[in-house]
Amino acid sequence: MTWWAVVRFLHVLGAALWVGGQLTVSLVVLPLARRLLDAERRGQVLSAVGRRFGLLTVAVFLPLQLATGVAIAWHKGVTWAMLAEPGYGRILAAKLLLFCAVMAMAGAHGWAGGAGRPLLARSMAIASLVGSLGVVLLAAALPAT
């Protein structure tokens, strides 16, 4: 096992935790909270879950993804010009752009939830989850180099 295998593992692990966390909250926590908790308690629990997930995102996930992603790109010799080239470059560019959009939507979700805008918060959560799945799909589509 090489050092770069560990770096790639950490990058994939970070993505799995981020997308897996979104799926767990959406498919497990939310339905149970809606069914088992009254409106006030549900709001408290979901707000606490959102704050914890947001804190982990900012403190762990985002720095891990950025550091390992930059390291992997450097190791592979990726340049800005390569992002416009067909194949690996364009797929990576699409992945990076979608990742930035997902982070913006996740931030908007957090803001909307805190500002008492539940419809916007829900829309941003759904868009962020779909976008995150798109990032994983694009990562899987990257040609081996």
Side-chain angles (χ1 to χ4, degrees):
M1 178 170 318
T2 68
W3 167 250
W4 292 108
V6 173
V7 172
R8 281 191 311 276
F9 169 77
L10 291 173
H11 193 73
V12 171
L13 179 63
L17 291 173
W18 167 252
V19 178
Q22 287 180 300
L23 288 169
T24 299
V25 170
S26 298
L27 300 176
V28 177
V29 175
L30 285 173
L32 287 174
R34 286 185 182 123
R35 193 172 76 227
L36 299 174
L37 302 173
D38 62 78
E40 181 181 338
R41 189 73 178 134
R42 181 174 56 242
Q44 292 171 341
V45 168
L46 295 177
S47 179
V49 167
R51 275 193 305 276
R52 173 69 61 95
F53 196 70
L55 178 62
L56 287 172
T57 296
V58 171
V60 177
F61 165 72
L62 198 51
L64 177 68
Q65 292 310 103
L66 292 174
T68 57
V70 167
I72 291 166
W74 174 80
H75 179 68
K76 290 187 171 288
V78 173
T79 65
W80 290 109
M82 287 174 64
L83 296 177
E85 295 174 6
Y88 188 91
R90 285 189 189 159
I91 295 171
L92 180 59
K95 178 187 168 208
L96 294 172
L97 288 171
L98 187 55
F99 177 78
C100 290
V102 164
M103 290 296 106
M105 289 181 283
H109 165 71
W111 171 82
R117 311 245 343 240
L119 292 177
L120 179 59
R122 182 171 172 81
S123 297
M124 290 296 100
I126 292 168
S128 177
L129 175 57
V130 170
S132 294
L133 292 171
V135 170
V136 172
L137 176 64
L138 288 168
L142 283 170
T145 57

